[in-house]
């Protein structure tokens, strides 16, 4: 898999015809799209089942569940949330979601830095093996502690997204990188549109005894096995030997674990040829915008199901349709518009999308009719479809060829931290 048709920074990139490099980039983009889609389909199957799974363990009187319940009760009292069953399951889900995001926050930069040293392919195979084992644990789990173990293994091994963005960042031409990041966005939209519907369908249609999540768990396992085979057979290594050799490995582990160092992208500046101060400031600003955006986004995403349940008495099927609507709009915008944004126009697009969030938040927050809610959601989807792919493209231009994994891993980590904090802050607001 070392016979890549270009060599980053080497003379062979100049000698290769642009067409050859272009066809290699297209091939890589399509392969990564399939890898990520399979990964996300397995990951999103559980989303509509979480409340039912938590209710299931609440009724069985699981010891671990009860001890976590006391944490949720303490938080609920501290924040002043009414004692209602609906709130309980969402707060409990939020707690597990935050745990998952915190684990991702810790593991993403390390996975990225290791991939700069050992290559993208071996790390992708490793994280996919980890995810397979987590789904296998879920499939056989009969207690809440086993279910938690599945989420913990999954959180630690969920490095596929940052590795896929690092592969896109390896591509030689900015136009290909932009298309690659937009395709990652489309994979997300499709995964989050189709996965939850499949999960809900299989859980309802195959209630074997009291373990209704057995079929979705096996399906998630099947997706990750297919993913592993696809990576093994199809994915070429995009990090060339000379770049791998010049990578310094993990460096100072504090730079990859301390939130302050991550916001400063310290791991990128502590190298033999660090980027200029101006470049570093740009990178830090992009990281901060990414964090703030995802903090607000995950807060709204988390409270949206509460809001619609309380104000419009949405059933879980209506909520599924609402998320389907968001996913379809995002996929259309990413496929039609975000993919075609020219290099140099990304900051303008991000600015426009973030401005569109203001009326979106106002319309959703004040919505007194379902129509008004959906107009707000359409604006929200427009912003969501543009911000992350564009910021990822801008960030992928930073760092030397042997640091792309570290840079994209740190960005992913900041996003995970925002996703861990957003729901907690928004539900207490």
């Amino acid at each position: 898999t070392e016979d890549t048709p270009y060599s980053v920074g080497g003379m062979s990139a100049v000698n290769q015809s642009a067409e050859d490099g272009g066809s290699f980039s297209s091939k890589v983009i399509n392969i990564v799209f399939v890898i990520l889609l399979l990964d996300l389909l397995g990951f999103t199957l559980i989303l509509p089942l979480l409340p039912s799974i938590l209710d299931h363990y609440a009724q069985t009187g699981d010891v671990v569940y009860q001890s976590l319940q006391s944490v949720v009760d303490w938080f609920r009292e501290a924040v002043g949330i009414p004692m209602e069953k609906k709130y309980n399951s969402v707060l409990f889900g939020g707690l597990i979601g935050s745990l998952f995001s915190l684990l991702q926050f810790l593991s993403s930069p390390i996975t990225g830095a290791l991939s700069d040293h050992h290559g993208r392919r071996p790390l992708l195979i490793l994280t996919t093996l980890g995810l397979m084992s987590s789904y296998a644990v879920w499939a056989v789990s009969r207690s809440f502690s086993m279910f938690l173990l599945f989420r913990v293994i999954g959180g630690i091994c969920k490095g596929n997204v940052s590795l896929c963005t690092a592969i896109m960042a390896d591509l030689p031409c900015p136009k290909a990188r932009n298309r690659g990041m937009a395709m990652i966005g489309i994979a997300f939209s499709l995964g989050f549109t189709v996965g939850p519907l499949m999960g809900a369908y299989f859980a309802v249609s195959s209630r074997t005894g009291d373990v209704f999540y057995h079929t979705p768990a096996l399906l998630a396992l099947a997706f990750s096995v297919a993913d592993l085979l696809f990576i093994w057979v199809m994915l070429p290594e995009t990090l060339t030997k000379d770049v791998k050799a010049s990578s310094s490995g993990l460096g100072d582990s504090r730079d990859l674990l301390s939130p302050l160092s991550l916001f400063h992208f310290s791991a990128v500046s502590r190298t033999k040829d660090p980027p200029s101060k101006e470049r570093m400031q740009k990178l830090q600003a992009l990281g901060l915008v990414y964090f703030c955006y995802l903090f607000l986004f995950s807060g709204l995403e988390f409270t949206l199901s509460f809001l619609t349940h309380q104000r419009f008495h949405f059933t879980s099927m209506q909520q599924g349709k609402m998320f389907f609507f968001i996913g379809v709009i995002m996929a259309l915008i990413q496929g039609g518009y975000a993919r075609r944004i020219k290099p140099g126009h990304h900051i303008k697009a991000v600015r426009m999308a973030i401005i569109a969030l203001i009326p979106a938040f106002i319309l959703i927050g004040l919505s007194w009719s379902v129509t008004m809610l959906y107009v707000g959601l359409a604006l929200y989807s427009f912003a969501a479809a543009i911000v992350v792919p564009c910021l990822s493209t801008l960030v992928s231009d930073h760092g030397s060829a042997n640091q792309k994994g570290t840079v994209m891993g740190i960005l992913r980590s900041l996003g995970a931290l925002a996703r861990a904090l957003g729901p907690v802050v928004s539900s207490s607001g």
Side-chain angles (χ1 to χ4, degrees), residues 45-62:
L45 282 173
I46 190 177
L47 295 182
L49 312 179
L50 257 177
S52 320
I53 290 173
L54 294 176
D55 288 348
H56 168 73
Y57 288 119
Q59 286 154 11
T60 56
D62 192 279

Side-chain angles (χ1 to χ4, degrees), residues 73-91:
D73 289 341
W74 169 81
F75 178 73
R76 187 162 52 180
E77 272 177 43
V79 176
I81 296 169
M83 292 288 283
E84 228 182 277
K85 186 169 175 279
K86 171 75 183 172
Y87 289 130
N88 187 63
S89 60
V90 179
L91 281 176

Side-chain angles (χ1 to χ4, degrees), residues 251-269:
D252 188 347
S253 56
R254 271 178 318 191
D255 290 341
L256 299 174
L257 292 173
S258 141
L260 208 60
S261 300
L262 291 169
F263 275 106
H264 284 116
F265 285 84
S266 305
V268 181
S269 56

Side-chain angles (χ1 to χ4, degrees), residues 163-200:
L163 289 170
C164 286
T165 53
I167 290 171
M168 297 306 192
D170 288 335
L171 298 177
C173 112
K175 211 170 166 190
R177 285 202 292 271
N178 179 37
R179 214 174 84 237
M181 295 301 175
M183 288 302 276
I184 285 179
I186 295 170
F188 258 88
S189 302
L190 287 175
F192 277 82
T193 306
V194 179
L197 287 176
M198 281 170 73

Side-chain angles (χ1 to χ4, degrees), residues 35-292:
I35 289 169
L36 203 51
L37 187 60
L38 285 169
D39 176 59
L40 290 166
L41 284 172
F43 172 69
T44 54
L45 282 173
I46 190 177
L47 295 182
L49 312 179
L50 257 177
S52 320
I53 290 173
L54 294 176
D55 288 348
H56 168 73
Y57 288 119
Q59 286 154 11
T60 56
D62 192 279
V63 184
V64 182
Y65 183 93
Q66 301 301 345
S67 55
L68 265 180
Q69 180 63 61
S70 57
V71 177
V72 173
D73 289 341
W74 169 81
F75 178 73
R76 187 162 52 180
E77 272 177 43
V79 176
I81 296 169
M83 292 288 283
E84 228 182 277
K85 186 169 175 279
K86 171 75 183 172
Y87 289 130
N88 187 63
S89 60
V90 179
L91 281 176
F92 214 105
L95 182 71
I96 292 175
S98 289
L99 169 76
F100 189 83
S101 296
L102 276 172
L103 289 166
Q104 263 194 287
F105 162 70
L106 294 170
S107 64
S108 286
I110 296 168
T111 310
L114 285 171
S115 79
D116 280 338
H117 194 58
H118 300 287
R120 315 289 182 224
R121 206 180 119 93
L123 261 287
L124 254 179
I125 289 169
L126 201 65
T127 54
T128 309
L129 277 168
L131 284 176
M132 273 171 59
S133 66
S134 82
Y135 293 134
V137 168
W138 183 28
V140 298
S141 72
R142 295 289 177 274
S143 69
F144 184 67
S145 42
M146 285 285 275
F147 175 74
L148 260 184
L149 179 67
F150 142 62
R151 296 307 280 167
V152 167
I153 300 170
I156 294 168
C157 298
K158 195 82 187 71
N160 297 27
V161 181
S162 62
L163 289 170
C164 286
T165 53
I167 290 171
M168 297 306 192
D170 288 335
L171 298 177
C173 112
K175 211 170 166 190
R177 285 202 292 271
N178 179 37
R179 214 174 84 237
M181 295 301 175
M183 288 302 276
I184 285 179
I186 295 170
F188 258 88
S189 302
L190 287 175
F192 277 82
T193 306
V194 179
L197 287 176
M198 281 170 73
Y201 172 76
F202 282 106
V204 171
S205 64
S206 64
R207 284 187 174 272
T208 47
D210 60 327
V211 192
F212 58 91
Y213 53 80
H214 196 239
T215 310
L218 289 175
L219 193 60
L221 180 60
F223 276 130
S224 61
V225 170
D227 206 11
L228 182 71
L229 289 172
F230 194 77
I231 294 166
W232 192 272
V233 175
M234 300 296 291
L235 184 72
E237 179 55 74
T238 53
L239 197 69
T240 48
K241 277 179 184 161
D242 52 337
V243 174
K244 254 192 252 183
S246 65
S247 166
S248 58
L250 272 177
D252 188 347
S253 56
R254 271 178 318 191
D255 290 341
L256 299 174
L257 292 173
S258 141
L260 208 60
S261 300
L262 291 169
F263 275 106
H264 284 116
F265 285 84
S266 305
V268 181
S269 56
R270 285 193 198 156
T271 45
K272 287 192 284 285
D273 49 340
S276 67
K277 198 175 171 197
E278 190 193 353
R279 292 274 296 166
M280 281 307 294
Q281 282 170 342
K282 272 187 187 168
L283 180 57
Q284 287 158 5
L286 289 170
L288 192 61
V289 171
Y290 185 79
F291 174 83
C292 293

Side-chain angles (χ1 to χ4, degrees), residues 315-345:
T315 62
S316 50
M317 198 63 205
Q318 284 172 304
Q319 299 227 1
K321 284 176 182 166
M322 174 180 74
F323 284 112
F324 185 77
F325 171 78
I326 293 172
V328 167
I329 288 194
M330 282 176 68
L332 288 172
I333 289 167
Q334 280 159 341
Y337 170 64
R339 217 158 47 111
R340 293 183 173 83
I341 298 172
K342 291 182 176 69
H345 290 249

